[in-house]
Amino acid sequence: MAVPGEHRPLDGFLPHGLTSNTPFPSLKLSVLIGILSLSALSIALLICLCIRLRRTSKKRNMLAKETDSRASSGPSYEVFLSFRGVDTRHEFTDFLYDGMHNAGILVFRDSESLHVGKRIADELLQAIENSKIYIPVFSKNYAWSHWCLRELAHMVECTSKSNGNKEILPIFLDVEPDDVKLKTNLYSKALLKHQKKFCTEVESWKKALIEVDKVKGWNWKRDEGQADLRNSVIETVLDKLNAGNKKIVSENLVGVYDRVKALIKMLDVGSDNVQFLIIHRMGGIGKTTLAKCVFNQLSSDFKDRNFLSNIRESSQRHGMVYLQKQLLSEFLDSRSFVERIHDVNEGINMIKRVLGSKKVLIVLDDVDGKEQLKSLAEKGDWFCMGSRIIITTRDQSILRIEGEASSEGPVEKSSKVTSYEVHEMEFDDALKLFSKHAFRRDSPRDQFFSLSNEIVSTLGRLPLALEVTGSSLNNESEEFWKATLKKLKEAPPKEVQSTLMISYDKLEDKQKQVFLDIACFFIDDYKTCPFYMWDACGYHPHVTIKVLCLMSLIKIKDDDTFWMHDQVRDLGREIIRQENCEDPSKRSRVWNPKETRSILKGKEGSTKIKALSLGRRKGILTVTGDELANLQKLRFFQGGCVSLAGDVNRLFPSLTWLSCRDFSLEFEAKNFHPTNLAVLDLSWSNISEERIDWIRVASKLKVLDLGYCHRLTRTPDLSTLVSLEKLILRSCWNIKELPNSIGKLQSLIELDLSGTSISHLPDSIGNPKQLTILGIGNSQGITKLPGAIAQLDKLVVLDAGRCQNLTGEIPAEIERLSCLRILDLSWTKISRLPTTVNRLSNLQELKLARSDIKQLPELPPSLTCPTWEAAIYLESFSSLPTSIGTLSQLKALALASPNVRLLPQLPSSLRELKLVNLAIVQPLDFSNLVKLSTLEFYSCSILEFSGRFGPELEKLYLGKCSFGRLDALFQLEMRRLPSLTLDMCEFLPEILDLSHMKNLQEVFLFGRKLQVAIRGLEELGSLSSLMVVNCSSIEWMSDLSKLRKLEKLQVKICPKLRSLEGVNHLESLKRMWIHDCGLLECLADTSNMDLGCCHVVHCDLLPDRHCCEHGSNCRYLSLNGVSLKFALQIMHDAEVINLMMCNANDRHAVRRNRPNPWYSKEGGAVKTEMSKVEANVVGVPKPGKNKGKVIVLEEVKVRFGRDASLSK
């Protein structure tokens, strides 16, 4: 029994073999030895721990920044090992783990990394989410572990959602890929056993196994050594991790994946040539972000790589030698070699020596000058075969990169230069990006939904503007949001301004003047007339416009109009505002009509003002000479319904542009002498020739537009307008005669007489030798073309279309028009083309639609785009000339003629072919049309297809056609075909197989009566939209579960369809409509899917299903049989974006614009912030419902912006 106060050690706490009865000296010695042993062990463990911490701390710090919010509660790993413990834990997995650990790789293995006290399931799944590379080690018993399969399924899911930031590297350890692919019994038996206990998960496990097998990995056999396998895996992992070289990008990336994918495809890493890729566009559009993403994804394919950032800024601060050193530093082991560079030429020589033998990936970010490119990567032969050089720039002029020749002779290394223009974000993506910064989530809060849409629209979907503005609005009040929106409508955010100003500051002064003119006055206007004004001002418009386009400040659209991004436009206007923030009369340009009227009314004009616009207005505005007196520098004046009055003598000395549409009859200005005028637009004016006799003093006039001046009975005196190049008299239907003086206009380039009552063209029409465009279309008085037209040696376009009284033959002298490219004789009574037409060596377009021509002569080989169309009531030619096959330049052919029964062989150069109302009795063979990209059939009856198409087909449309069989068509590998439309066509076979059209993105099937099944949908991995409507015989469709990109699914009026499988696996699906499928037996539960719209009705065996209700912030809504007014009221109340209605009868559609506000059923004004509404009207309610003219809509789409329109 222990004595009170005595301290005795407990036997259980003594070292092994000692007891409390052991003699004290021996006990003391033994305890001392034990303590020393424990200390040594502790020191050793501490040293080991320090080494490991030192090795991994740097990586942990870096990875901590990249960990997403969901994974923030656990550590980040670089590699997750998934393995079956009984097979490999103490063999290969141990071996591999130790090798990775020694290489400094942060690797997760369950026995090492699970924390005590936490649920194993949560820890494992979190470790997967926090890892970058997954390595499943497939062994004999891997599939017998449900935990291994769960890990694998979660790895596949995380990889698919990572935008390429995670990947799987499988190891097949003594098993075959076919085992994993479930083609043998090895894994299949295991899954069969799991089916009983884990029936809800087995399907996802199967898909995960099959998906992983598609990835290239390592296949190890038992008779092979494991050391080489381990080393290969570690080397690959290190290469892919590349932690020190990868570029950090924002976690809030939106809409980037498809663009990055397209860029990587353009780079074609597998080819051996040297490739340059230029990513270009305006500042703030996301060029650098795309370059970083591409660099990160391709880094593992290049041992040698470098990302050179901010070249524009670095070259200004440090010079080009510094940049050359930065470029080379990543490719040389010693810095001392780089320090030997003392000038640019030495740098170039070293770049050639070092990089000429290395396959490199280089990004040159923000290049803004040719000198930078000349110093860093001027030619393709500087680099080794297989190298890729990516350049981001605002200035397209740097695109001229040499690479095919050098001073030493021909270069064997071929180089390729491609460019990629970065476009604005899609609206939905832009809204999502904005929301991530403004709300820290993917969509706006209900209270700010309308404001968010309007701000995104105002910012022009520019990523930089969205990020900056969204961040500034985070946690701010609604009042602050509204004030910000008002400010944004006047000028871009400061950060965006400073970015865009970089391009503006590089412009020369004259180029800046043109840029500001476009920003203030000419967006969406045709470029031709402004060119004349700028030329008169000495601004060299042809060169200047090219520079502005190359600098990505403007674009010339396909219709020759100017386009400018909203933020660039606002930048230009803000530059003008900054000239004088308080007083518009002290600015160089005034584009706001209210400000212009105020300046004129207050007689506040100054010599600062160069350009004024009054806009379009109602009612006549009279402007007096006194109001214009101080505008001595005015060179541009634009306004509608304006009348000049009073004495304007010595005013407008600099005026070069006067545009007064709807010019008043009350024009009473005295002493009006616009001697420097270059452009005069008086179109749509209510004036007579007497009121504009002052035109004769405008001797420098280049453009005179009198179109639609219906009071004009003759042309004004044109004899003094010796510089006139463009004369427009379109639709001046009271002008009956063209004076002989037209022949004196030797500078005339374009003459538009279309829609006039002129009965004949004078012989002097052949005198203006510079005339290139002659338009007489829709002039019913003209009955023949004079031979004098043949004297117009430079004529390029002759438009006589819709001259319905033009008869007889075309003059044989037409052969002299060697420059003629377009000849339009459509809707005329011309009955014959002369045989000499084949001598028109430059003719490209011949338009004969609904003419009286019965037979075609031999056609010129230059022809690229003829169109023939026979009206139903006219006798047409019955065959095409066999010589059509020799037209080697023919690009497009449109043919509509019910009398044509045989088609000769068409030329292989054809890219577009449109056949309408044909009844072809021979099998069609288009196998020689290797360049065909568009093929359209409308109301044709064709016996059979034979032969094959070329690989270029991008559009295939079959509408209201009857074919014998189309088996051959659907067996073709149309790799580039994105869209297929079959609209009310009849053909065999009964089973429609789409499996060969693997790149289809849209499939539209309407009115299919013979097809009973649709096969091959599972092969269409790119499909985003599938529509199957009114297919009365369709009984089944193949499984949809593999359509990972499908966003829109519509299946309507398919009464025999019994199943629709895989809908619940469509991870991208946003909108689904299933209507009137009476035999559809089951449809997977979609309640857990993120559907914006789900509409299932009139399926007798299924309950109706709607994914949303009428309520706050409802994005999509489905209603039946309600009126337009009621629908719009609901949309206003609920801020609905998409409204779906049905139960409509007759189909019709009428487009109409209508301004806000909308009116409710009671007639009261309903104020909405919806500014763009699109609707497809499909009928009216059944009789007896909603009496009166009530419109029922099928679909209404709403966008928030500045313009309001309704398809009603």
Side-chain angles (χ1 to χ4, degrees):
M1 188 172 179
V3 178
E6 181 180 354
H7 297 281
R8 295 181 60 189
L10 298 176
D11 289 352
F13 281 79
L14 294 175
H16 180 68
L18 300 180
T19 69
S20 57
N21 296 320
T22 305
F24 181 74
S26 301
L27 175 63
K28 184 177 180 180
L29 180 61
S30 299
V31 170
L32 182 61
I33 292 171
I35 290 171
L36 291 174
S37 300
L38 286 171
S39 299
L41 180 60
S42 299
I43 292 170
L45 288 172
L46 184 60
I47 292 172
C48 217
L49 181 61
C50 289
I51 292 173
R52 176 163 182 173
L53 285 173
R54 183 179 180 185
R55 178 184 293 136
T56 61
S57 62
K58 184 177 180 180
K59 289 187 177 182
R60 287 188 186 277
N61 290 336
M62 182 188 67
L63 287 171
K65 298 178 181 178
E66 299 177 1
T67 305
D68 60 22
S69 59
R70 183 177 176 183
S72 61
S73 59
S76 296
Y77 299 94
E78 293 175 317
V79 174
F80 180 93
L81 281 177
S82 175
F83 59 94
R84 185 73 165 104
V86 296
D87 288 348
T88 69
R89 181 188 298 279
H90 301 298
E91 295 180 4
F92 177 73
T93 301
D94 256 350
F95 190 38
L96 178 61
Y97 175 84
D98 288 339
M100 288 187 175
H101 177 72
N102 292 333
I105 298 171
L106 297 175
V107 57
F108 179 95
R109 183 177 63 168
D110 61 355
S111 61
E112 295 290 331
S113 307
L114 285 180
H115 297 174
V116 177
K118 292 192 177 182
R119 292 178 58 196
I120 293 178
D122 293 341
E123 186 78 4
L124 277 173
L125 296 180
Q126 185 174 297
I128 292 173
E129 292 170 8
N130 291 357
S131 300
K132 292 184 174 182
I133 294 176
Y134 308 123
I135 301 182
V137 182
F138 294 117
S139 57
K140 297 286 186 184
N141 295 297
Y142 184 93
W144 290 94
S145 167
H146 68 276
W147 265 117
C148 287
L149 295 173
R150 279 180 182 163
E151 290 173 6
L152 185 69
H154 201 54
M155 287 187 281
V156 170
E157 180 184 0
C158 290
T159 304
S160 67
K161 295 179 179 179
S162 70
N163 284 332
N165 293 320
K166 299 177 186 289
E167 61 181 313
I168 300 176
L169 302 175
I171 298 175
F172 302 95
L173 200 68
D174 204 25
V175 297
E176 293 297 326
D178 280 352
D179 298 326
V180 178
K181 205 183 297 183
L182 305 179
K183 291 188 175 182
T184 68
N185 289 329
L186 185 63
Y187 281 15
S188 298
K189 286 183 178 179
L191 290 175
L192 193 60
K193 180 182 177 182
H194 292 316
Q195 183 71 44
K196 300 176 182 178
K197 189 174 181 181
F198 307 103
C199 59
T200 59
E201 296 182 81
V202 168
E203 190 63 30
S204 65
W205 296 348
K206 287 181 181 179
K207 291 180 179 179
L209 287 166
I210 294 172
E211 189 69 25
V212 169
D213 183 68
K214 297 177 182 178
V215 182
K216 185 179 180 181
W218 294 269
N219 192 358
W220 181 83
K221 303 294 189 297
R222 185 163 290 278
D223 57 351
E224 298 174 349
Q226 292 186 348
D228 289 340
L229 173 62
R230 182 189 77 158
N231 294 339
S232 175
V233 172
I234 293 173
E235 184 178 342
T236 300
V237 168
L238 286 172
D239 221 17
K240 289 183 176 294
L241 288 175
N242 238 340
N245 286 293
K246 286 201 173 181
K247 300 290 117 180
I248 298 175
V249 294
S250 169
E251 295 178 1
N252 294 323
L253 294 181
V254 177
V256 169
Y257 176 75
D258 289 338
R259 301 185 185 207
V260 171
K261 184 178 178 181
L263 287 167
I264 291 176
K265 183 177 181 181
M266 292 173 69
L267 285 167
D268 189 16
V269 177
S271 64
D272 289 334
N273 59 355
V274 178
Q275 288 202 29
F276 291 82
L277 174 61
I278 318 293
I279 303 176
H280 64 90
R281 194 67 195 284
M282 59 186 285
I285 198 75
K287 302 182 296 295
T288 300
T289 299
L290 286 176
K292 285 181 178 180
C293 292
V294 173
F295 182 84
N296 288 346
Q297 288 205 30
L298 294 184
S299 287
S300 59
D301 296 314
F302 292 85
K303 183 179 178 181
D304 297 299
R305 56 206 162 256
N306 195 358
F307 192 108
L308 214 55
S309 302
N310 301 319
I311 287 178
R312 175 188 56 80
E313 185 177 344
S314 295
S315 64
Q316 292 173 356
R317 289 187 177 185
H318 307 292
M320 288 310 305
V321 172
Y322 169 83
L323 281 169
Q324 290 176 325
K325 291 179 179 179
Q326 291 296 107
L327 175 63
L328 288 167
S329 62
E330 291 292 329
F331 305 113
L332 294 172
D333 296 330
S334 175
R335 182 76 184 180
S336 60
F337 291 105
V338 175
E339 296 304 326
R340 297 177 184 176
I341 301 174
H342 298 98
D343 60 43
V344 171
N345 289 331
E346 288 181 2
I348 291 174
N349 290 332
M350 186 171 288
I351 290 172
K352 291 180 180 180
R353 286 198 307 272
V354 174
L355 303 187
S357 59
K358 296 177 183 289
K359 177 185 171 183
V360 297
L361 172 65
I362 295 173
V363 175
L364 304 177
D365 176 49
D366 198 15
V367 175
D368 75 334
K370 296 179 183 178
E371 291 302 318
Q372 296 162 1
L373 210 54
K374 286 182 179 180
S375 302
L376 298 171
E378 182 182 16
K379 299 181 181 180
D381 62 358
W382 289 16
F383 306 97
C384 180
M385 299 293 285
S387 293
R388 297 293 181 269
I389 295 87
I390 302 171
I391 299 164
T392 71
T393 183
R394 308 158 193 252
D395 186 355
Q396 296 180 61
S397 65
I398 69 164
L399 297 182
R400 299 176 183 85
I401 297 172
E402 301 178 30
E404 303 301 325
S406 72
S407 57
E408 290 77 23
V411 177
E412 294 183 1
K413 301 176 187 177
S414 63
S415 62
K416 180 181 178 183
V417 181
T418 55
S419 63
Y420 179 87
E421 182 179 4
V422 185
H423 294 287
E424 294 77 14
M425 303 180 73
E426 295 294 330
F427 188 89
D428 290 341
D429 287 338
L431 182 60
K432 184 176 181 180
L433 178 63
F434 173 80
S435 300
K436 282 180 175 289
H437 290 272
F439 306 104
R440 305 298 188 257
R441 63 184 217 176
D442 290 348
S443 60
R445 295 196 184 101
D446 294 352
Q447 180 184 358
F448 295 96
F449 191 81
S450 299
L451 281 169
S452 296
N453 277 271
E454 193 168 357
I455 288 173
V456 170
S457 179
T458 301
L459 292 173
R461 296 169 289 146
L462 189 69
L464 175 62
L466 295 166
E467 292 173 4
V468 169
T469 307
S471 298
S472 70
L473 293 172
N474 181 242
N475 289 327
E476 296 290 351
S477 66
E478 187 173 358
E479 289 72 20
F480 185 83
W481 276 62
K482 291 179 179 178
T484 300
L485 175 58
K486 183 178 180 180
K487 185 177 178 182
L488 288 174
K489 289 182 176 180
E490 296 177 355
K494 287 185 178 180
E495 293 87 344
V496 178
Q497 280 191 46
S498 60
T499 299
L500 298 176
M501 280 295 292
I502 294 169
S503 298
Y504 177 79
D505 288 339
K506 286 190 65 178
L507 300 175
E508 298 175 0
D509 183 64
K510 293 180 178 179
Q511 295 166 355
K512 291 179 179 179
Q513 299 302 317
V514 172
F515 168 77
L516 294 173
D517 279 352
I518 297 173
C520 295
F521 304 110
F522 293 123
I523 294 175
D524 290 330
D525 278 4
Y526 289 101
K527 68 176 186 179
T528 307
C529 292
F531 268 55
Y532 286 111
M533 180 186 72
W534 293 324
D535 189 51
C537 295
Y539 291 165
H540 311 295
H542 291 89
V543 175
T544 296
I545 292 300
K546 185 175 182 180
V547 170
L548 295 179
C549 288
L550 292 174
M551 295 290 288
S552 301
L553 291 171
I554 66 167
K555 286 175 67 174
I556 304 295
K557 296 191 292 187
D558 292 339
D559 60 356
D560 271 350
T561 58
F562 290 116
W563 181 90
M564 183 179 284
H565 192 279
D566 290 353
Q567 295 293 291
V568 179
R569 174 204 63 203
D570 292 344
L571 169 73
R573 295 182 177 185
E574 181 62 18
I575 290 172
I576 299 300
R577 282 194 197 95
Q578 292 300 321
E579 293 174 354
N580 193 303
C581 297
E582 303 296 331
D583 188 355
S585 67
K586 300 296 192 296
R587 301 171 189 164
S588 61
R589 295 162 179 82
V590 184
W591 62 90
N592 186 305
K594 291 183 179 179
E595 294 177 347
T596 299
R597 286 196 292 271
S598 176
I599 290 172
L600 294 177
K601 186 176 180 180
K603 303 178 183 179
E604 299 169 352
S606 71
T607 56
K608 293 278 189 182
I609 298 178
K610 298 178 181 178
L612 282 175
S613 175
L614 280 165
R616 299 299 295 270
R617 51 176 285 105
K618 294 181 179 179
I620 298 172
L621 175 67
T622 300
V623 179
T624 66
D626 291 340
E627 295 171 343
L628 301 169
N630 294 325
L631 302 175
Q632 294 300 307
K633 296 290 182 68
L634 192 70
R635 59 174 172 81
F636 174 91
F637 184 83
Q638 182 183 62
C641 294
V642 175
S643 176
L644 295 181
D647 191 352
V648 292
N649 188 28
R650 297 182 181 179
L651 297 183
F652 308 123
S654 303
L655 191 66
T656 55
W657 177 295
L658 177 60
S659 176
C660 291
R661 292 191 172 193
D662 302 307
F663 207 51
S664 171
L665 181 61
E666 310 301 326
F667 182 82
E668 296 178 353
K670 300 176 182 178
N671 300 315
F672 186 42
H673 305 299
T675 55
N676 289 311
L677 207 58
V679 177
L680 176 60
D681 181 3
L682 300 178
S683 57
W684 296 94
S685 295
N686 190 24
I687 55 173
S688 61
E689 51 273 18
E690 292 82 7
R691 292 285 185 178
I692 52 173
D693 57 355
W694 46 265
I695 289 178
R696 64 179 183 273
V697 305
S699 58
K700 297 180 182 179
L701 195 64
K702 299 285 187 178
V703 178
L704 175 57
D705 188 350
L706 298 174
Y708 302 92
C709 292
H710 302 315
R711 288 179 60 90
L712 286 178
T713 59
R714 59 179 175 81
T715 63
D717 184 5
L718 304 174
S719 59
T720 60
L721 306 183
V722 293
S723 299
L724 194 65
E725 296 185 12
K726 186 173 183 178
L727 175 59
I728 301 174
L729 300 173
R730 174 188 292 270
S731 293
C732 295
W733 55 57
N734 283 316
I735 295 182
K736 299 179 180 179
E737 184 180 2
L738 189 65
N740 276 319
S741 60
I742 194 73
K744 296 181 179 180
L745 303 181
Q746 292 298 308
S747 300
L748 197 62
I749 294 175
E750 179 178 350
L751 176 60
D752 188 352
L753 305 174
S754 55
T756 64
S757 296
I758 293 174
S759 57
H760 74 281
L761 297 177
D763 290 339
S764 62
I765 192 69
N767 294 342
K769 300 302 182 182
Q770 305 300 316
L771 196 65
T772 59
I773 300 175
L774 176 58
I776 58 173
N778 202 28
S779 296
Q780 307 309 318
I782 294 181
T783 58
K784 71 173 185 176
L785 294 176
I789 286 181
Q791 300 173 26
L792 301 173
D793 299 337
K794 297 185 179 181
L795 195 64
V796 174
V797 177
L798 176 55
D799 179 7
R802 296 186 179 272
C803 290
Q804 296 182 8
N805 292 314
L806 184 59
T807 59
E809 300 180 3
I810 297 296
E813 295 87 349
I814 197 173
E815 65 177 298
R816 300 178 192 171
L817 302 180
S818 59
C819 295
L820 193 65
R821 290 207 308 261
I822 299 174
L823 177 58
D824 188 352
L825 300 173
S826 57
W827 295 80
T828 67
K829 294 182 180 178
I830 293 291
S831 58
R832 182 174 174 272
L833 288 178
T835 56
T836 54
V837 74
N838 69 334
R839 299 178 187 175
L840 298 175
S841 57
N842 285 300
L843 189 66
Q844 295 179 3
E845 295 187 32
L846 176 60
K847 301 179 181 181
L848 304 176
R850 307 209 174 191
S851 66
D852 279 1
I853 294 176
K854 298 179 176 62
Q855 189 172 4
L856 290 173
E858 183 179 348
L859 299 173
S862 59
L863 207 60
T864 63
C865 186
T867 58
W868 296 289
E869 184 176 348
I872 296 174
Y873 53 86
L874 293 178
E875 180 183 2
S876 178
F877 51 89
S878 59
S879 64
L880 292 176
T882 56
S883 61
I884 195 172
T886 65
L887 303 181
S888 60
Q889 301 300 315
L890 194 66
K891 298 294 189 299
L893 174 62
L895 175 63
S897 177
N899 296 325
V900 172
R901 294 290 183 268
L902 300 173
L903 279 182
Q905 186 178 44
L906 301 176
S908 59
S909 57
L910 265 184
R911 296 184 182 276
E912 299 178 15
L913 178 60
K914 178 180 178 181
L915 303 177
V916 182
N917 202 24
L918 302 184
I920 304 297
V921 297
Q922 93 227 51
L924 282 183
D925 184 359
F926 292 154
S927 58
N928 68 312
L929 304 183
V930 294
K931 297 181 180 179
L932 195 66
S933 63
T934 299
L935 178 61
E936 300 177 67
F937 293 92
Y938 298 86
S939 302
C940 292
S941 174
I942 296 176
L943 180 65
E944 184 181 351
F945 270 110
S946 64
R948 304 178 68 84
F949 293 108
E952 302 296 318
L953 197 67
E954 295 182 358
K955 180 180 179 182
L956 177 61
Y957 181 94
L958 309 177
K960 297 182 180 180
C961 294
S962 173
F963 298 89
R965 297 190 69 88
L966 282 180
D967 304 62
L969 175 65
F970 292 102
Q971 293 300 315
L972 301 179
E973 295 284 349
M974 290 182 268
R975 295 186 296 273
R976 298 184 62 178
L977 186 68
S979 179
L980 172 68
T981 301
L982 303 178
D983 185 2
M984 299 180 68
C985 293
E986 297 305 327
F987 59 82
L988 294 173
E990 293 183 342
I991 297 178
L992 182 63
D993 188 352
L994 303 177
S995 60
H996 295 280
M997 303 179 179
K998 298 186 185 300
N999 284 326
L1000 280 176
Q1001 298 173 22
E1002 297 177 324
V1003 173
F1004 304 110
L1005 306 177
F1006 302 95
R1008 312 289 324 114
K1009 293 182 180 179
L1010 299 180
Q1011 276 65 51
V1012 299
I1014 304 174
R1015 178 190 296 166
L1017 289 171
E1018 68 277 4
E1019 300 293 332
L1020 309 184
S1022 300
L1023 195 67
S1024 63
S1025 181
L1026 174 62
M1027 186 181 296
V1028 183
V1029 177
N1030 197 19
C1031 296
S1032 56
S1033 300
I1034 293 288
E1035 297 178 7
W1036 64 269
M1037 297 164 56
S1038 53
D1039 189 357
L1040 306 179
S1041 60
K1042 291 186 178 180
L1043 304 182
R1044 298 290 179 86
K1045 295 185 178 181
L1046 191 68
E1047 297 180 1
K1048 184 177 180 180
L1049 174 64
Q1050 294 192 48
V1051 181
K1052 302 179 182 180
I1053 319 176
C1054 297
K1056 294 184 179 180
L1057 183 67
R1058 294 183 177 274
S1059 66
L1060 198 60
E1061 298 178 359
V1063 172
N1064 56 321
H1065 295 291
L1066 301 176
E1067 57 190 44
S1068 298
L1069 191 66
K1070 298 299 180 186
R1071 305 167 69 183
M1072 181 174 75
W1073 293 273
I1074 311 295
H1075 291 184
D1076 298 282
C1077 298
L1079 296 182
L1080 189 60
E1081 298 171 335
C1082 63
L1083 187 68
D1085 182 17
T1086 58
S1087 59
N1088 293 326
M1089 298 174 67
D1090 184 22
L1091 292 178
C1093 174
C1094 177
H1095 192 68
V1096 181
V1097 295
H1098 299 164
C1099 299
D1100 298 340
L1101 304 180
L1102 296 175
D1104 286 0
R1105 187 184 304 177
H1106 306 282
C1107 75
C1108 62
E1109 300 293 338
H1110 175 204
S1112 177
N1113 198 22
C1114 174
R1115 293 177 64 83
Y1116 300 95
L1117 179 64
S1118 300
L1119 297 173
N1120 292 336
V1122 300
S1123 71
L1124 169 62
K1125 292 179 180 179
F1126 178 67
L1128 291 172
Q1129 177 68 58
I1130 290 176
M1131 295 173 73
H1132 164 256
D1133 293 342
E1135 295 184 331
V1136 175
I1137 286 185
N1138 187 288
L1139 177 63
M1140 180 72 187
M1141 300 177 173
C1142 63
N1143 284 349
N1145 294 328
D1146 300 328
R1147 293 182 172 268
H1148 61 280
V1150 180
R1151 290 195 61 84
R1152 179 180 177 185
N1153 292 328
R1154 181 174 178 178
N1156 281 340
W1158 305 112
Y1159 289 91
S1160 68
K1161 193 171 184 179
E1162 292 73 23
V1166 178
K1167 297 292 184 180
T1168 77
E1169 296 190 29
M1170 294 178 290
S1171 57
K1172 185 178 181 185
V1173 182
E1174 296 177 358
N1176 296 322
V1177 182
V1178 296
V1180 296
K1182 295 179 180 179
K1185 290 187 178 182
N1186 299 323
K1187 295 181 180 180
K1189 297 181 179 179
V1190 180
I1191 298 177
V1192 175
L1193 307 181
E1194 182 186 59
E1195 183 176 7
V1196 176
K1197 299 177 183 177
V1198 178
R1199 276 287 178 265
F1200 296 82
R1202 297 176 180 173
D1203 302 322
S1205 63
L1206 168 66
S1207 300
K1208 175 182 172 186

